[in-house]
Amino acid sequence: MSVVFPPGLAVSVLKSVFQEIHVQSLMQLDRHTVYTIITNFMNNREEELKSLGADFTFGFIQVMDGEKDPRNLLVAFRIVQNIITKGYALGPFVEELFEVTSCYFPIDFTPPPNDPHGITREDLIVGLRGVLASTPRFAEFLLPLVIEKMDSDIQSAKVDALQTLTAACAVYEQKELKEFLSGLWSSIRREVFQTASDKVESEGLAALHALSASLSRSVLGPDSEDLLDIFLTNILKDCKHHLCEPDMKLVWPSAKLLQAAAAASSRACRKVTANVLPLLLEQYNQHAQSSHRRTILEMTLGFLKLQSKWLHEEDENGLVSFKDPLCSMVFSAVTDPSTQLQQVAVKALTVLGTHQGFLSSGDIDLIVDHLTRLILEAADSQSCQAAIESSGSLARVHPSVFISRMVSPLCSRLQTVPMESTESPDGAIPQHAMWQRCHEALAAVSTHHSIVQETVPILLDYVRQTHKGEINAEDVVAVCKSLHHVAVLCQENAESLFYYHQKVVPCLLSLTVQAAMQDRGTAADLHVLLSDSVLTAMVPLIIASTSRLSPELLSSSISQIVSLFLDGDVSILAENSFTSRFLPFQMEGPAAPQSLLVALLMAYVCSLPRNVEVPHQSRLLQDLLALSLGGCCTFAFTSAAKCFAGLINKCPAGQQLDDILKIASHKIESGLEDNSKRTQAVMLLAWVTKALILRYHPMNGQLTNKMISLLSNRDLGPLAADLFSLLVSDSSDILNKSSHADIRIMYRQRFFTENVPKLVEGFNAANGDDKPNYLKALSHVLNCLPKQVLITELPSLFSLLLEALSCPDNIVQLSTLTCLEPLLLDAAEILSVHIDSLISKLLCLTSSPSMAVRITALKCMLALTKLPLPMLLPYKQRVIRALAKPLDDKKRLVRKEAVEARCQWFLIGSPGS
């Protein structure tokens, strides 16, 4: 590696190594040193080494010949690859260089247990493949070897051979492949036709695709032979006739082979589809049975998708000559009584409809009419769902057609469908299901700005009907879900998103404020828009419409929203002629229901990007703090606590943040001592702690310690234990990446390292009644950690996890089982100490009152069967007897898991297991 080596000395050193040293007689470390010397010279003295010509290549062949150590082979493979790719002279030693490396193909290496070097079989396979597939000059030696290995009885050898062929095709051209095409095709065809392995089949198809792509790249001269055409003709000859037998087993392997070859290039695609599509169209008309027609249409669909892949590269659409018979076939299938055939036809309609300029306007109209008919009339929900998904894709391409031929009929049907459940004639779609279908379809087609302008007002009208008492909470939630779907689709288009935001958010605020200001007297009389389920359903659609807007657009609207909640300024609302003031932070009296709307404020301000300033933030935080501790309604004070935490998480570090945290900490302490505010204080404490954990604020440790200390509190311990799940799990609405929260990398691992020892210590010191709280908190934390972190900590925690399985709390049991299941395969050494206790506890839990616990315990019993045989054999008969009981469980899902687990335990120790 020395930079002061005199010129020519590198060559002298290597000549001495090549001539004087028999490298393979040295120890492994010394051989590795020789490879390192060569590698360093190749990096630093490339020109000098190249002056040796083919002597350098020959010298290295002698050095490497007979190498067996995997550590050295990895380095040697890299050297050979560099010799080839960096243009070192190979001279007459091409075959020798191939032989000295190909003798390892295919790699058969199993690393020893606890291998400190970490070399895997895959590392060696990739290293060798990089050599074998690095130059076309190896083709005459490699391709016969690949054909030989494909004929092997060993599956791994077949897979390796096919993957190597795929890699080699990237550098091979027509002249290298010509001599071997027939043998390669025969071997690939046999593997795809006869294999029982999905892996071999997929690699065979990938290799065929690579061959076709390599032949497609070759430039044809005036007199040169078109090998691609000859190759595809042979494939068609061997596969085409099987497509005429839709009920035979070779129909799909043949179709897959043809599609793999056709997918390689536009030329290949034209050749194959021109031969195959007429045959499939003819076969569809000859077969009357729906199942046969479905198979034929599914194959046709595959070729249509391939054709669409190359449309942008071709001036001429290869499908034009088949347009009329294709449309006839698909339109026939979409009206067939068979729902499965209908669903395939809908997919075909989608592909045809997205081909710009392929279909006439009349054909597009007919497609939309068929989709509308399926949505409104299909008795089968899957056919309806397929039509809705297809409509969403096609509406982007043909918005005006969907407005006139789908949106209008859906609106007309909605006006005639009563929202309340009524009796439907036999075989007819229930009226309420029809109502939901129409709303779902309206949301799905809102993929273009012009359609959004039509669908959003329609959906909002149904929310407005709540003031007439014509719609219940469940239906409002369904409409809100449709509006949320529209919001997500609008995120792809800035114009649509701005329209949605300007139209929907003020409307929902106006309707909910109007509802909250109607004095209903008691909680039981609350307006439907103020129910927890409806407000919860509005939160995600406000977040979706806000989180992706540009900061410039948000800056103007955020001040109006904050003014509405702080000052009662209703100018942002569409209908603002109220007789009294809007006072959402007043917790008692007639204005109390208004505090429920803080959930909508939370959705708005907590989804803002961090570079958008919230006006009057200090005052807003004070009001939220007061409501989160003083509110009587659980939904209101929880929403206030979440909103407070969301703002705290994004608040810039500085004196303002420190001051508000000190005030909040003091008020939480006071609230924990006040019996009327204890629940509110714990909820606020949990959310603020989460906000600070995510951003790794210095105060997060103090608040976490407070949460841990509450686990010993007789009244608040169970609630605090449940809230540990909140601290480390992902939040669905706020304090997540999509809402622009301040989240530091690896915050869960940091929380685990700092706090799990405290939980373990607290558990050991707690009295019997409080121990379940610590176990529940611990299981929640462990359940959210990455598997790699848990494995390293498992030895110290396993005894606690076993104790958690004995805890009477079903939540603790389920959380612990969910945590344990993925770890069992990688924890053989730890389990060997505890296997007896673990099996006993798991078998006991298969009789738990909770179905979820029974299922997860049985999954753990199944996972145990992968452990080393000596660990399991002593327990085999006992487990088989115990698992007989859940075979008669009253729940089908439990019986299913019991059958699978018991079968695997029966097979332990049997030949071939």
Side-chain angles (χ1 to χ4, degrees):
M1 294 177 70
S2 173
V3 293
V4 295
F5 243 42
L9 192 54
V11 170
S12 302
V13 169
L14 286 183
K15 279 184 176 179
S16 298
V17 170
F18 294 157
Q19 294 170 8
E20 307 297 336
I21 301 175
H22 183 232
V23 175
Q24 289 306 314
S25 66
L26 301 176
M27 300 289 288
Q28 180 273 327
L29 183 60
D30 295 330
R31 300 199 307 276
H32 192 275
T33 302
V34 173
Y35 295 126
T36 307
I37 289 170
I38 296 172
T39 300
N40 291 338
F41 279 149
M42 290 180 75
N43 291 336
N44 303 327
R45 297 285 189 271
E46 183 176 324
E47 293 306 318
E48 289 183 40
L49 268 56
K50 285 183 177 178
S51 69
L52 281 169
D55 289 345
F56 174 70
T57 303
F58 180 66
F60 181 73
I61 290 170
Q62 290 179 306
V63 167
M64 182 183 173
D65 193 11
E67 181 60 68
K68 295 179 180 177
D69 190 278
R71 292 165 288 181
N72 292 347
L73 282 173
L74 277 180
V75 184
F77 290 156
R78 281 196 291 270
I79 292 173
V80 177
Q81 192 170 0
N82 285 333
I83 288 173
I84 295 167
T85 57
K86 291 186 176 181
Y88 285 79
L90 303 185
F93 305 115
V94 175
E95 184 172 2
E96 286 78 3
L97 187 61
F98 176 79
E99 291 296 336
V100 82
T101 50
S102 65
C103 62
Y104 302 101
F105 181 80
I107 294 288
D108 182 18
F109 168 69
T110 304
N114 304 317
D115 179 18
H117 307 290
I119 296 174
T120 64
R121 178 173 175 270
E122 189 62 28
D123 294 332
L124 292 168
I125 288 173
V126 171
L128 178 57
R129 187 177 300 146
V131 173
L132 299 179
S134 60
T135 173
R137 298 177 69 179
F138 281 170
E140 60 181 306
F141 315 114
L142 177 62
L143 294 178
L145 180 63
V146 164
I147 293 171
E148 177 192 331
K149 298 304 178 185
M150 276 197 275
D151 295 342
S152 164
D153 294 330
I154 303 170
Q155 181 177 318
S156 61
K158 292 176 186 285
V159 170
D160 201 356
L162 289 164
Q163 289 176 338
T164 302
L165 174 60
T166 302
C169 285
V171 297
Y172 289 1
E173 293 185 4
Q174 184 165 297
K175 62 180 181 294
E176 285 85 26
L177 294 169
K178 180 178 180 180
E179 183 184 343
F180 305 98
L181 279 177
S182 176
L184 289 169
W185 162 239
S186 297
S187 295
I188 291 172
R189 180 189 62 205
R190 183 190 65 248
E191 293 308 322
V192 175
F193 275 177
Q194 297 178 7
T195 186
S197 163
D198 291 340
K199 180 68 174 173
V200 172
E201 181 188 89
S202 65
E203 294 300 340
L205 295 172
L208 181 61
H209 179 276
L211 279 170
S212 183
S214 179
L215 295 173
S216 300
R217 287 194 302 270
S218 300
V219 179
L220 296 177
D223 301 320
S224 59
E225 194 176 19
D226 188 354
L227 278 185
L228 176 65
D229 189 72
I230 297 169
F231 184 59
L232 293 176
T233 300
N234 286 336
I235 296 174
L236 286 162
K237 178 183 173 184
D238 290 341
C239 295
K240 192 176 171 183
H241 62 279
H242 291 302
L243 303 185
C244 302
E245 304 163 339
D247 55 344
M248 303 301 282
K249 71 174 187 177
L250 290 182
V251 63
W252 272 114
S254 299
K256 289 176 182 178
L257 286 165
L258 287 166
Q259 288 168 6
S265 67
S266 58
R267 196 153 56 103
C269 192
R270 273 204 313 276
K271 167 82 175 176
V272 174
T273 51
N275 281 273
V276 169
L277 279 183
L279 176 66
L280 291 175
L281 291 166
E282 179 188 341
Q283 289 299 309
Y284 184 86
N285 293 324
Q286 287 180 3
H287 288 83
Q289 196 171 327
S290 292
S291 60
H292 292 170
R293 286 189 157 193
R294 188 184 80 227
T295 301
I296 295 165
L297 188 56
E298 283 176 336
M299 290 189 288
T300 307
L301 176 61
F303 288 105
L304 290 177
K305 287 178 178 178
L306 291 180
Q307 191 71 34
S308 65
K309 177 182 176 182
W310 301 107
L311 276 181
H312 306 297
E313 298 187 14
E314 293 297 312
D315 296 330
E316 183 181 337
N317 191 329
L319 291 177
V320 169
S321 56
F322 305 112
K323 183 178 93 67
D324 291 338
L326 270 174
C327 289
S328 174
M329 176 175 71
V330 177
F331 290 146
S332 160
V334 83
T335 55
D336 193 273
S338 167
T339 57
Q340 292 178 319
L341 183 55
Q342 282 179 7
Q343 290 163 35
V344 181
V346 167
K347 292 177 183 176
L349 287 176
T350 310
V351 175
L352 290 174
T354 50
H355 285 191
Q356 288 277 21
F358 176 60
L359 297 179
S360 66
S361 58
D363 292 329
I364 298 296
D365 290 348
L366 192 54
I367 287 177
V368 179
D369 289 344
H370 278 303
L371 294 175
T372 306
R373 176 185 58 78
L374 285 173
I375 293 169
L376 295 177
E377 299 176 13
D380 180 70
S381 60
Q382 289 183 323
S383 295
C384 171
Q385 196 59 42
I388 289 173
E389 290 174 10
S390 173
S391 300
S393 301
L394 291 174
R396 301 173 190 272
V397 189
H398 311 286
S400 58
V401 182
F402 273 85
I403 290 172
S404 60
R405 305 190 80 89
M406 180 175 283
V407 174
S408 295
L410 290 175
C411 291
S412 301
R413 180 60 65 92
L414 278 170
Q415 291 169 3
T416 62
V417 174
M419 282 175 284
E420 63 276 4
S421 297
T422 55
E423 291 295 323
S424 302
D426 290 342
I429 303 166
Q431 298 288 354
H432 193 260
M434 175 61 69
W435 186 83
Q436 289 182 321
R437 274 188 187 191
C438 292
H439 279 95
E440 191 178 343
L442 287 171
V445 298
S446 302
T447 51
H448 190 277
H449 181 62
S450 59
I451 304 178
V452 172
Q453 291 176 308
E454 299 288 333
T455 56
V456 165
I458 296 168
L459 293 170
L460 286 176
D461 280 342
Y462 280 90
V463 184
R464 290 191 181 96
Q465 291 180 22
T466 55
H467 286 293
K468 302 176 185 176
E470 297 177 359
I471 184 168
N472 59 33
E474 183 183 346
D475 292 333
V476 181
V477 169
V479 175
C480 287
K481 286 181 179 176
S482 296
L483 282 168
H484 177 241
H485 188 185
V486 176
V488 172
L489 293 172
C490 286
Q491 289 178 343
E492 301 172 13
N493 181 286
E495 185 183 12
S496 298
L497 187 60
F498 181 66
Y499 169 81
Y500 182 97
H501 185 78
Q502 293 290 91
K503 188 80 176 176
V504 175
V505 175
C507 178
L508 293 182
L509 283 172
S510 178
L511 292 171
T512 50
V513 169
Q514 186 178 347
M517 295 179 72
Q518 295 173 1
D519 184 9
R520 295 293 183 110
T522 65
D525 294 328
L526 274 178
H527 193 282
V528 66
L529 287 180
L530 302 181
S531 65
D532 294 357
S533 60
V534 170
L535 290 173
T536 301
M538 288 181 180
V539 165
L541 68 90
I542 293 177
I543 291 173
S545 71
T546 305
S547 59
R548 297 285 185 89
L549 270 184
S550 67
E552 296 77 21
L553 296 174
L554 287 169
S555 297
S556 59
S557 59
I558 182 60
S559 58
Q560 294 177 300
I561 298 286
V562 172
S563 295
L564 169 66
F565 279 85
L566 287 181
D567 305 317
D569 180 0
V570 294
S571 58
I572 189 177
L573 305 182
E575 300 174 12
N576 51 26
S577 55
F578 303 119
T579 55
S580 57
R581 284 190 66 199
F582 178 55
L583 304 168
F585 291 108
Q586 184 173 318
M587 288 162 266
E588 296 178 358
Q594 297 172 21
S595 63
L596 297 169
L597 302 193
V598 171
L600 305 185
L601 172 68
M602 173 203 74
Y604 198 93
V605 299
C606 292
S607 59
L608 295 172
R610 275 181 270 169
N611 59 350
V612 176
E613 184 180 350
V614 178
H616 312 295
Q617 181 164 292
S618 180
R619 182 181 160 202
L620 181 60
L621 286 168
Q622 295 282 1
D623 285 351
L624 288 167
L625 185 59
L627 178 58
S628 61
L629 286 169
C632 299
C633 169
T634 302
F635 186 82
F637 70 68
T638 302
S639 299
K642 291 169 71 173
C643 189
F644 182 84
L647 291 172
I648 287 294
N649 174 262
K650 297 178 189 176
C651 190
Q655 192 60 45
Q656 182 189 3
L657 177 60
D658 295 342
D659 291 344
I660 193 67
L661 284 175
K662 284 179 185 176
I663 295 170
S665 179
H666 175 71
K667 291 196 172 184
I668 287 171
E669 289 284 354
S670 303
L672 291 172
E673 296 171 4
D674 184 343
N675 286 337
S676 64
K677 296 182 178 180
R678 299 181 85 183
T679 303
Q680 294 94 314
V682 175
M683 191 64 68
L684 177 61
L685 172 63
W687 277 104
V688 174
T689 304
K690 180 180 180 68
L692 299 184
I693 287 170
L694 291 177
R695 63 181 288 174
Y696 199 51
H697 188 276
M699 200 172 168
N700 87 85
Q702 176 188 333
L703 297 184
T704 305
N705 290 340
K706 188 64 184 176
M707 288 284 293
I708 293 173
S709 69
L710 288 176
L711 296 173
S712 298
N713 186 295
R714 180 173 300 177
D715 299 323
L716 298 176
L719 175 59
D722 286 331
L723 290 173
F724 265 82
S725 173
L726 167 69
L727 297 183
V728 288
S729 61
D730 292 322
S731 178
S732 59
D733 43 18
I734 64 164
L735 293 178
N736 52 41
K737 287 184 179 178
S738 61
S739 63
H740 311 288
D742 185 356
I743 301 176
R744 300 300 170 90
I745 191 170
M746 297 177 74
Y747 77 90
R748 287 191 182 92
Q749 289 89 322
R750 190 181 294 116
F751 181 85
F752 172 87
T753 305
E754 293 176 355
N755 296 294
V756 164
K758 298 174 187 176
L759 287 170
V760 174
E761 183 183 342
F763 171 81
N764 292 330
N767 61 47
D769 292 338
D770 297 331
K771 283 184 182 290
N773 297 335
Y774 285 92
L775 288 174
K776 182 183 285 191
L778 185 64
S779 65
H780 284 318
V781 174
L782 297 181
N783 214 14
C784 292
L785 275 178
K787 178 180 172 182
Q788 295 80 0
V789 178
L790 275 176
I791 284 290
T792 58
E793 301 293 335
L794 203 55
S796 60
L797 296 174
F798 203 86
S799 57
L800 271 180
L801 291 174
L802 285 176
E803 189 153 352
L805 293 179
S806 302
C807 180
D809 191 320
N810 287 340
I811 296 174
V812 177
Q813 292 171 353
L814 182 59
S815 182
T816 307
L817 289 168
T818 307
C819 172
L820 271 177
E821 186 195 349
L823 302 176
L824 295 177
L825 298 180
D826 302 303
E829 289 185 21
I830 305 161
L831 289 178
S832 62
V833 181
H834 302 280
I835 187 71
D836 189 76
S837 301
L838 179 63
I839 288 178
S840 299
K841 292 179 186 296
L842 290 176
L843 291 176
C844 181
L845 290 175
T846 59
S847 302
S848 166
S850 164
M851 183 181 81
V853 171
R854 297 199 301 276
I855 289 174
T856 317
L858 288 165
K859 285 182 176 178
C860 288
M861 290 303 303
L862 176 62
L864 286 178
T865 60
K866 306 298 182 186
L867 291 173
L869 187 62
M871 287 176 60
L872 303 178
L873 274 178
Y875 304 96
K876 177 178 176 179
Q877 296 307 320
R878 172 186 164 195
V879 170
I880 289 172
R881 285 195 300 272
L883 291 181
K885 182 179 177 183
L887 293 178
D888 291 326
D889 197 279
K890 60 185 178 182
K891 295 293 186 181
R892 179 184 60 83
L893 293 176
V894 177
R895 297 195 299 273
K896 176 175 172 287
E897 293 295 340
V899 167
E900 192 171 352
R902 195 164 186 256
C903 282
Q904 290 303 316
W905 274 90
F906 262 115
L907 292 173
I908 288 173
S910 60
S913 64

